[in-house]
């Protein structure tokens, strides 16, 4: 998680911080409101064990706070379209990728003895590292983009470029947060869709890492939560559609859909309050 952003650049941070809003018109209160709204939403969904999208929360928070402060003219429609497209299609791509990877693995492992589970258990170490690298690369950059946008708004930076110290603190934060606070979400992803065995973990991680890292290199901010959740559903469906507990999937979809408007409303209210002090 920590190393990822240093290895694969800051294309996503540039998209979030420089291509969605006109940074010359963004006030510091906007970035602060967006971050607070995202944090509150993430804490609530984490406590409830719902793997909601921090990416959606950040985008919703940014748009809500910026529009209430400066009007719709502050929004760069081309950049916003790029972000919305990446967030919208990535779950579908994750679902398809999980399904195809699982079908390929089942074909290659046909006729294998139960000992192949030992391979999948050990291989998960490698695929988990790959997924962690992709997660750190994509998700940490979103916060980098907003912090850098705040630095530009405050006049600390003359133009948008992500300083090394911003990369370092964001990478450290996402690594520490994942290591210490993820057990509620782990329980949801690891057991509530269906009983995940080593082969499912291996294939889900391969599919998710490929999708998330590809998006990061292209500068597309995707939701790791959505991609992994969708990949798990794709993997389960590859064995049997009825294997997946679609009720749990439905609850997660509801969280995905509601995140942007709720975060936008919360950030808009916070921006109105913060404008008096920031």
């Amino acid at each position: 998680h920590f190393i990822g952003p240093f290895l694969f650049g800051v294309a996503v941070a540039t998209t979030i911080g420089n291509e969605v809003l006109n940074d010359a018109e963004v006030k510091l209160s906007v970035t602060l409101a967006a971050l607070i709204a995202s944090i509150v939403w993430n804490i609530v969904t984490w406590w409830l064990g719902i793997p909601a999208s921090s990416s959606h929360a950040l985008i919703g928070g940014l748009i809500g706070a910026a529009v209430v402060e400066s009007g719709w003219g502050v929004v760069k429609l081309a950049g916003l379209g790029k972000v919305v497209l990446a967030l919208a299609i990535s779950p579908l791509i994750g679902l398809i990728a999980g399904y195809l990877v699982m079908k390929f693995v089942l074909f290659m492992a046909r006729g294998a003895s139960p000992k192949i589970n030992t391979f999948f258990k050990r291989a998960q170490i490698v695929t988990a590292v790959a997924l962690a690298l992709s997660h750190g690369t994509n998700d940490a950059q979103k916060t980098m983009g907003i912090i850098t946008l705040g630095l530009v708004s405050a006049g600390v930076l003359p133009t948008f470029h992500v300083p090394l110290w911003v990369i370092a603190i964001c990478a450290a934060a996402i690594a520490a947060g994942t290591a210490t606070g993820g057990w509620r979400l782990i329980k949801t992803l690891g057991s509530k869709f269906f009983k995940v065995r080593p082969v499912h973990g291996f294939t889900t991680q391969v599919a998710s890492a490929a999708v998330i890292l590809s998006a990061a290199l292209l500068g597309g901010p995707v939701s790791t939560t959505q991609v992994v959740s969708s990949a798990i559903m794709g993997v389960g469906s590859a064995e049997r559609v009825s294997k997946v507990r679609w009720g749990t999937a439905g609850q997660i979809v509801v969280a995905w859909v509601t995140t942007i408007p709720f975060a936008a409303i919360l950030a808009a209210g916070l921006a109105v309050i913060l404008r008096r002090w920031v």
Side-chain angles (χ1 to χ4, degrees):
H1 276 87
F2 179 77
I3 295 173
F6 293 97
L7 295 180
F8 300 109
V10 291
V12 173
T14 301
T15 298
I16 293 291
N18 196 40
E19 296 182 15
V20 176
L21 301 176
N22 184 349
D23 53 19
E25 299 181 27
V26 175
K27 300 177 182 178
L28 188 59
S29 59
V30 168
T31 57
L32 187 58
L35 285 172
I36 293 174
S38 301
I39 291 169
V40 170
W41 181 257
N42 284 338
I43 290 174
V44 170
T45 53
W46 163 78
W47 181 257
L48 296 174
I50 301 172
S53 169
S54 59
S55 308
H56 282 61
L58 281 172
I59 294 301
L62 269 180
I63 299 301
V67 169
V68 79
E69 279 293 311
S70 305
W72 284 102
V74 74
V75 179
K76 296 180 179 179
L77 294 180
L80 179 60
K82 176 182 178 180
V83 170
V84 171
L85 180 64
L87 289 172
I89 67 173
S90 56
L92 178 60
I93 295 175
L95 180 72
I96 295 171
Y99 181 89
L100 294 177
V101 171
M102 185 62 177
K103 283 292 189 183
F104 177 76
V105 169
L106 290 175
F107 176 78
M108 295 300 294
R110 67 191 186 284
S113 70
K115 290 183 179 180
I116 197 171
N117 284 312
T118 302
F119 164 78
F120 289 127
K121 287 180 181 179
R122 293 174 178 173
Q124 280 186 98
I125 298 173
V126 177
T127 56
V129 169
L131 181 56
L133 283 170
S134 66
H135 182 208
T137 299
N138 202 301
D139 280 45
Q141 285 193 57
K142 297 159 192 170
T143 310
M144 293 177 206
I146 292 184
I147 291 176
T148 305
L149 177 62
L151 293 172
V152 174
S153 302
V156 177
L157 295 177
T159 58
F160 188 96
H161 70 276
V162 183
L164 182 61
W165 66 267
V166 172
I167 297 175
I169 61 172
C170 290
I174 196 168
T178 304
T180 58
W183 285 108
R184 291 176 183 270
L185 304 183
I186 289 170
K187 184 178 179 181
T188 297
L189 294 177
S191 64
K192 291 190 177 181
F193 284 112
F194 57 86
K195 186 176 181 180
V196 175
R197 295 182 288 125
V199 63
H200 303 129
F202 171 80
T203 50
T204 296
Q205 289 166 358
V206 169
S208 301
V211 173
I212 296 165
L213 186 57
S214 297
L217 294 175
L218 294 172
V222 301
S223 168
T224 297
T225 305
Q226 287 190 355
V227 173
V228 174
S229 300
S230 299
I232 290 175
M233 288 186 279
V235 165
S237 299
E239 285 191 321
R240 190 175 68 254
V241 173
S242 60
K243 185 183 184 72
V244 179
R245 298 187 186 107
W246 295 103
T248 299
Q251 294 172 6
I252 292 174
V253 170
V254 171
W256 293 347
V257 172
T258 56
T259 292
I260 288 181
F262 270 87
I265 293 170
L266 179 58
L270 287 168
V272 171
I273 295 171
L274 290 172
R275 69 168 61 143
R276 300 179 182 179
W277 295 284
V278 179

